[in-house]
């Protein structure tokens, strides 16, 4: 999920305003191949009939912050910014944010009615529209939604399964389907950023290893305000993003926030194959002592923990000593991360009443291998990560 504990009211301001496209001298813009296109993907985040869990108003605030970041840089340079957003379950639009005459304008490029953006073909169709309207040398994808990591969609109970997307399975997308959609579009991502909960996981990164260079995500719940785009924008826009500064700025923002909770990691997807090979060897030589399950660092708000700190688990798996080859591989896999002394959870209604979890050790990525969560035990062995490492 993307935590909503602040409460939500749908915005009455429409983002779908039309604007003419002109350059700073008042003339028409000549299309060119951009250095990179930064694509915000913000699908519907509730059910067919409800708006109570919708993040739409927060998405509007995120877009305003992006525009503030663009204005602070006096424009987009050779980059372009497109946004796919769903104000309702039956309507979506593809917009472009442009900078002209010293201000940002929003141009509606295409409208969609009931497109199935949870299926690979629907995702590919949207990405093909992005490419057709804003061809670039590189593409970045930033996803705003509720989310729950690798856990497959199929249950409407929001605290148990979310994949990513809405509050019911009709608007949820499995990670493998996202990867398939990106692959179909032939649109490899420089990075995929999940401004969502619980996506910095080995299971997620393994599924995305062939369609993105980097994954930017949180191990835990993300507050509804999400990433402070006005503050991190200058680190996202260079040809090579400053991933370390993105994580640091996120940390500084939330440490000074009313609710000082949040984690953010940068994961290098190309390192997942090597890490899987290391874990396959460790799993062949060690057996986890289930009696130590309660000692592991939990990074979620469930009563039965689903997401554990990766390095802490490996330490326990290997009898208290982390193998040096694992440490070296982990340092390459997660070069940058940040975390607050505690993480927040909005699942107190389901976990017995706690809202915070102390973070005593942190490696920037989680794993579900040791979970005894009664719902997940039948699913964890079906992930591509599990099949590659056992």
């Amino acid at each position: 999920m993307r935590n909503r504990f602040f409460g939500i009211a749908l915005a009455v301001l429409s983002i779908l305003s039309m604007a003419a496209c002109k350059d700073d001298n008042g003339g028409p813009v000549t299309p060119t191949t951009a250095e990179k296109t930064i694509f915000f993907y913000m699908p519907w985040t509730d059910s067919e009939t409800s708006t109570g869990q919708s993040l739409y108003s927060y998405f509007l605030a995120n877009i305003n912050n992006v525009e503030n970041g663009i204005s602070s840089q006096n424009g987009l340079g050779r980059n372009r910014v497109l946004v796919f957003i769903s104000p309702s379950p039956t309507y979506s639009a593809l917009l472009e944010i442009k900078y002209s005459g010293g201000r940002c304008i929003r141009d509606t490029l295409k409208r969609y009615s009931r497109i199935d953006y949870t299926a690979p073909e629907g995702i590919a169709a949207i990405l093909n529209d992005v490419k057709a309207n804003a061809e670039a040398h590189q593409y970045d994808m930033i996803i705003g939604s509720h989310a729950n990591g690798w856990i497959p969609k199929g249950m409407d109970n929001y605290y148990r399964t979310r994949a990513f997307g809405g509050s019911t399975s009709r608007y949820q997308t499995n990670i493998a389907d996202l990867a398939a959609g990106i692959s179909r579009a032939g649109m490899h991502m420089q990075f995929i950023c999940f401004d969502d909960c619980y996506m910095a996981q080995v299971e997620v990164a393994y599924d995305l290893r062939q369609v993105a260079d980097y994954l930017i995500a949180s191990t835990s719940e993300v507050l509804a305000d999400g990433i402070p785009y006005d503050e991190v924008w200058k680190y996202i826009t260079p040809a090579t993003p400053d991933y370390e500064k993105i994580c640091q700025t996120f940390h500084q923002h939330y440490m000074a926030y009313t609710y000082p909770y949040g984690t953010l990691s940068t994961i290098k997807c190309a390192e997942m194959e090597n890490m899987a090979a290391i874990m396959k060897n460790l799993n062949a030589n060690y057996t986890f002592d289930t009696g130590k399950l309660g000692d592991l660092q939990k990074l979620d708000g469930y009563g039965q923990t689903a997401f554990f700190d990766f390095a802490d688990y490996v330490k326990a798996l290997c009898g208290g000593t982390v193998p040096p080859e694992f440490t070296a591989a982990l340092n390459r896999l997660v070069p940058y991360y940040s975390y607050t002394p505690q993480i927040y959870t909005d699942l107190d209604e389901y976990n017995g009443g706690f809202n915070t979890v102390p973070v005593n050790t942190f490696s920037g990525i989680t794993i579900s291998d040791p979970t005894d969560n009664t719902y997940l035990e039948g699913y964890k062995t079906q992930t591509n990560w599990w099949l590659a490492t056992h």
Side-chain angles (χ1 to χ4, degrees):
M1 76 205 61
R2 181 163 165 182
N3 189 289
R4 299 181 51 266
F5 76 102
F6 299 104
I8 285 179
L10 282 181
V12 295
L13 174 66
S14 173
I15 193 175
L16 307 177
S17 57
M18 291 292 291
C21 180
K22 298 181 181 297
D23 66 14
D24 288 336
N25 297 317
V29 172
T30 302
T32 58
T33 301
E35 176 63 37
K36 68 177 177 180
T37 291
I38 303 168
F39 174 49
F40 285 83
Y41 181 62
M42 297 169 162
W44 181 241
T45 52
D46 208 331
S47 70
E48 295 88 336
T49 58
S50 173
T51 60
Q53 294 190 58
S54 171
L55 292 170
Y56 178 60
S57 63
Y58 289 99
F59 294 162
L60 295 184
N62 292 156
I63 292 168
N64 284 333
N65 284 338
V66 169
E67 292 176 340
N68 290 337
I70 292 170
S71 296
S72 71
Q73 292 187 308
N74 298 313
L76 287 158
R78 296 189 60 235
N79 296 335
R80 296 178 72 176
V81 176
L82 269 64
V83 179
F84 175 90
I85 190 165
S86 302
S88 78
T90 59
Y91 178 72
S92 305
L94 182 65
L95 318 172
E96 181 166 10
I97 300 175
K98 301 174 181 179
Y99 188 79
S100 180
R103 66 187 182 92
C104 289
I105 56 175
R106 300 169 187 171
D107 187 9
T108 302
L109 304 176
K110 186 171 182 177
R111 294 177 172 86
Y112 304 83
S113 178
R114 295 191 177 276
I115 183 171
D116 186 4
Y117 40 72
T118 68
E121 54 270 23
I123 296 168
I126 294 167
L127 292 176
N128 283 329
D129 287 337
V130 170
K131 186 162 51 176
N133 283 280
E135 185 178 5
H137 297 298
Q138 296 187 108
Y139 298 94
D140 300 335
M141 186 174 187
I142 300 173
I143 299 174
S145 71
H146 299 295
N148 210 2
W150 65 267
I151 301 174
K153 69 177 186 178
M155 286 188 64
D156 291 345
N157 192 322
Y158 79 92
Y159 81 96
R160 284 187 172 175
T161 180
R162 184 54 50 80
F164 75 88
S167 61
T168 62
S169 60
R170 169 64 182 84
Y171 298 101
Q172 296 167 0
T173 302
N174 287 327
I175 302 304
D177 289 334
L178 171 66
I182 295 172
S183 181
R184 286 190 187 195
M187 199 170 164
H188 188 88
M189 300 297 171
Q190 180 185 44
F191 69 74
I192 298 173
C193 174
F194 284 100
D195 196 357
D196 318 336
C197 303
Y198 296 134
M199 299 302 277
Q201 305 173 349
V202 292
E203 295 87 355
V204 171
Y206 190 79
D207 274 354
L208 296 175
R209 70 194 185 284
Q210 295 178 340
V211 297
D213 294 334
Y214 289 90
L215 174 64
I216 303 171
S218 173
T219 61
S220 308
E221 291 179 39
V222 176
L223 302 186
D225 286 355
I227 293 172
Y229 292 104
D230 51 344
E231 299 175 34
V232 304
W233 190 249
K234 61 186 174 182
Y235 305 122
I236 289 174
T237 54
T240 300
D242 192 332
Y243 297 108
E244 183 176 18
K245 285 290 188 181
I246 292 170
C247 292
Q248 288 177 349
T249 303
F250 178 92
H251 178 73
Q252 291 163 3
H253 175 87
Y254 276 104
M255 282 299 292
Y257 194 60
T258 306
Y259 304 93
Y261 311 109
T263 75
L264 197 67
S265 302
T266 298
I267 299 165
K268 189 174 182 180
C269 297
E271 296 294 332
M272 285 305 304
E273 293 280 6
N274 180 55
M275 181 58 80
I278 291 173
M279 286 305 300
K280 187 175 182 67
N281 180 61
L282 294 180
N283 286 326
N285 288 280
Y286 296 94
T287 300
F288 177 67
D289 180 358
T290 57
K292 298 185 181 299
L293 187 66
D295 298 331
L296 297 180
Q297 175 67 62
K298 71 183 276 108
L299 289 170
D300 63 37
Y302 298 146
Q304 291 181 297
T305 305
F307 310 134
F308 300 87
D309 183 78
F310 189 22
D312 200 39
Y313 165 65
V314 170
K315 181 179 179 180
L317 173 68
C318 299
T321 302
V322 180
E325 65 271 21
F326 172 83
T327 300
L330 181 62
N331 290 338
R332 294 192 300 270
L333 176 66
V334 192
Y336 310 112
Y337 59 77
S338 65
Y339 64 98
T340 52
Q342 293 183 317
I343 56 171
Y344 181 85
T345 178
D346 197 30
L347 301 179
D348 54 301
E349 181 181 352
Y350 306 98
N351 63 24
F354 63 87
N355 285 119
T356 59
V357 176
V359 182
N360 301 311
T361 184
F362 190 81
S363 62
I365 192 167
T366 63
I367 187 170
S368 295
D369 276 20
T371 185
D372 64 355
N373 183 296
T374 51
Y375 172 71
L376 297 183
E377 279 191 300
Y379 290 102
K380 70 177 183 180
T381 57
Q382 300 175 28
T383 65
N384 290 324
W385 165 259
W386 182 280
L387 297 174
T389 57
H390 290 80

